[in-house]
Amino acid sequence: MAGQVALDIPRTGLPKSVEYRTDSDATKRRQEQLKTVVTSVLRTYPWLSYYQGFHELTMTYVSVFGSSRPAIEAAKMTAVFLVRDSMSSDLDNVLQQLRLLYVLLKMISPEIHDLLTELDVPAFFAISWVLTWFAHDLNEFSTICRIYDFLITMPPMQVVYMAAAVIKRSENAVLAYERDFAVVHTQLSKLPGSIVDWAAVIDDSYYMQIDYPPTKLQHIGKCYLPKMSAISTYESTWKRLDPARPLAVESLLPQVRNGRHPLATAVAASSDAAGEKRKGNRMAGVMDLTNTAQKARNLAAEHKWSLVVATVASATMLMYAWLMMQQLQLHP
């Protein structure tokens, strides 16, 4: 995969934003940072595989943070907990998610589902949406940041619900397409660029995942994700890190005390008294930071400061993930 990374990095441009320089020197500097971030993630977690699109997802972090170090941490957490299915040895899990997209469409827009089924249009038109969190398909950086702000605080499959919301919001236009496979597939792939109100898409997708959670969609469509999918493990890992119940992470430890953690190459849990004291102090510090970050995030959202929202939300996510990794020792 090193060869593919070397090919992808040079052709990764900076996001279009008045807040960033886009001259050749700035682009080259960001590309070097991007290379550092991507290679660091892959070296830290050799059990993850690079996929085309991860560089675009990561470039958003590089652009928001402006330096490699925090971007590396954000990318690591995203890779391990949110886009892990995309970083397996193949894209089978992602294709399963796209099948669930059609199950969801059948629930929320039977007419569009019937159209796609009639023309036998696969869900490949949405693959870049899922793999890059729409970064590949949008030009406005503030919009990309708003989407990332939402997705890093939601379950791994939320981007699929966003894909469904994009299609549902364009329902009249989609149903008016010429009944031709090539036309429908091509036009569907361009839908994100036609969306004006992304806040409405985000709201729609949020309520969709409440009405049709992943487990329900799998049952309806008889299309089941593997037990170690990031979506399947979300409840037992990431979601357990609740700021209102900071000690809930302790319940995860018995699962890994006598063996290897399924998400990492090696796991060891320290149980000495000094270690427990350090964990308690560290946890308290993280929770203080998290509460402060939440206040800042709410203020940023109130004033619609997109970049600040993305940055603070990323920082909050990193605090949760850092806490988990310290407790479970998922890092080398």
Side-chain angles (χ1 to χ4, degrees), residues 98-141:
L98 293 179
R99 293 187 186 99
L100 292 176
L101 169 61
Y102 271 32
V103 176
L104 180 57
L105 285 176
K106 187 174 183 179
M107 298 296 103
I108 65 171
S109 182
E111 290 182 280
I112 289 182
H113 178 270
D114 291 345
L115 167 65
L116 299 180
T117 303
E118 175 189 338
L119 296 177
D120 199 22
V121 178
F124 294 150
F125 62 83
I127 197 164
S128 66
W129 309 356
V130 173
L131 294 180
T132 71
W133 287 3
F134 293 97
H136 178 78
D137 304 274
L138 298 173
N139 292 322
E140 183 60 46
F141 189 51

Side-chain angles (χ1 to χ4, degrees), residues 267-283:
V267 174
S270 174
S271 60
D272 59 278
E276 291 298 321
K277 183 177 180 180
R278 286 195 299 272
K279 283 193 289 185
N281 292 338
R282 186 168 58 229
M283 186 178 296

Side-chain angles (χ1 to χ4, degrees), residues 197-251:
D197 190 356
W198 277 95
V201 169
I202 288 172
D203 287 345
D204 290 348
S205 72
Y206 177 78
Y207 290 108
M208 282 181 192
Q209 64 89 17
I210 292 177
D211 293 336
Y212 302 100
T215 50
K216 184 174 182 178
L217 287 181
Q218 293 175 70
H219 178 72
I220 293 173
K222 300 188 184 304
C223 177
Y224 301 98
L225 293 166
K227 291 183 179 180
M228 292 317 303
S229 162
I231 295 167
S232 302
T233 60
Y234 180 75
E235 295 285 339
S236 61
T237 55
W238 187 260
K239 194 173 181 180
R240 298 287 291 277
L241 292 172
D242 186 344
R245 299 180 297 110
L247 295 180
V249 72
E250 297 296 334
S251 64

Side-chain angles (χ1 to χ4, degrees), residues 80-220:
V80 172
F81 292 104
L82 300 179
V83 299
R84 191 173 73 248
D85 287 2
S86 302
M87 304 189 77
S88 59
S89 57
D90 53 48
L91 290 178
D92 285 353
N93 288 351
V94 177
L95 296 179
Q96 285 285 78
Q97 293 180 36
L98 293 179
R99 293 187 186 99
L100 292 176
L101 169 61
Y102 271 32
V103 176
L104 180 57
L105 285 176
K106 187 174 183 179
M107 298 296 103
I108 65 171
S109 182
E111 290 182 280
I112 289 182
H113 178 270
D114 291 345
L115 167 65
L116 299 180
T117 303
E118 175 189 338
L119 296 177
D120 199 22
V121 178
F124 294 150
F125 62 83
I127 197 164
S128 66
W129 309 356
V130 173
L131 294 180
T132 71
W133 287 3
F134 293 97
H136 178 78
D137 304 274
L138 298 173
N139 292 322
E140 183 60 46
F141 189 51
S142 60
T143 300
I144 296 173
C145 286
R146 181 67 187 89
I147 292 171
Y148 275 53
D149 171 41
F150 176 63
L151 292 178
I152 61 179
T153 60
M154 296 299 292
M157 195 171 147
Q158 191 64 42
V159 67
V160 174
Y161 292 95
M162 285 194 70
V166 166
I167 298 170
K168 176 64 175 177
R169 281 268 157 184
S170 309
E171 186 172 41
N172 292 336
V174 172
L175 294 176
Y177 290 160
E178 178 185 348
R179 292 306 197 261
D180 177 80
F181 175 93
V183 171
V184 172
H185 188 278
T186 300
Q187 293 303 315
L188 284 172
S189 67
K190 298 178 181 179
L191 279 182
S194 67
I195 297 296
V196 175
D197 190 356
W198 277 95
V201 169
I202 288 172
D203 287 345
D204 290 348
S205 72
Y206 177 78
Y207 290 108
M208 282 181 192
Q209 64 89 17
I210 292 177
D211 293 336
Y212 302 100
T215 50
K216 184 174 182 178
L217 287 181
Q218 293 175 70
H219 178 72
I220 293 173

